[in-house]
Amino acid sequence: MAERAESLGSEGFVGVFDSGVGGISVLQHLVRELPAEDFRFFGDSAHAPYGGKTPEEVYQLSEDIASRMIDDGAKALVIACNTATSAAATQLRTHYPELPIVGVEPALKPAVLAPGAGKVLVMATEVTLALDKFQRLAERWAEGVGIETVACTGLVEFVERGELEGPHIAALLEGLVGRYRGEVDRVVLGCTHYPFVRAQIGKVLGDVRFFDGGAGTARQLRRLLAQDGLLRDADHKGSVTFSSSIDTPEERALYQRLFDTPC
Ligand code: DGL
């Protein structure tokens, strides 16, 4: 495998995956940061949401996707999912040491460091909030800052359906985070699906500033590709392709629509 990865050099594609459509919010940053790269996005919408599964199940699903992408010629992987990063990134890096693997994590550090008088609210999946990775992040950055966390059960399903606004999602969000209105002024979107409903979350919470891991993930991918000599020549015209474990024209149209929805 190591030899094959080396022989691919900069020509290979960057494989990007998520439990479903959420990772497209990260993909938007990747394409902006690295327009010369070829990206292949896979959304495991048939198995979404990952957030209520066991860490072992999330790891197995992530491993299956990663091994397929590597067999197909990926030169690097982006786990565009906070949940899969928490449950699988360390093991995947051990299993595939020959290629860069970039994950995404809740942007707690920039939120805590940003000016603000209120508390910081972290919205994420159950698995992300429960696993060590987030616990360590919170221990490191939360000292002296009030942090609230909410496992946003049910929210991913709206984004998977492409239902980004309307009374039903407004009611769900009111129930999930309405009680923090006026108490928080910085909000960490710790799941890659949530940037697509940022405006709806803002309607419930009022005047808050949002933070997500997309831009940091894109910068980290650039750093690792450069370090390993894997960046495409700047004059190459990059491309983006989508596939999903729900292989229907409707699903493909939803993926394209979300990619065209700046978030
Ligand atoms: N988009 C994912 C994340 O960033 C997971 C959502 C889910 O499938 O529960 O955590």
Side-chain angles (χ1 to χ4, degrees), residues 160-173:
E160 283 295 310
R161 286 198 296 275
E163 191 176 335
L164 306 183
E165 56 190 2
H168 300 298
I169 190 167
L172 177 76
L173 284 167

Side-chain angles (χ1 to χ4, degrees), residues 18-19 48-51 81-83 125 128 156 190-193:
D18 178 43
S19 64
Y50 280 8
C81 175
N82 294 264
T83 308
T125 69
T128 298
V156 160
C191 166
T192 57
H193 283 69

Side-chain angles (χ1 to χ4, degrees), residues 20 25 31 68 113 148 198 263:
S25 67
V31 171
R68 251 193 338 267
L113 296 180
E148 300 286 351
R198 189 189 312 254
C263 64

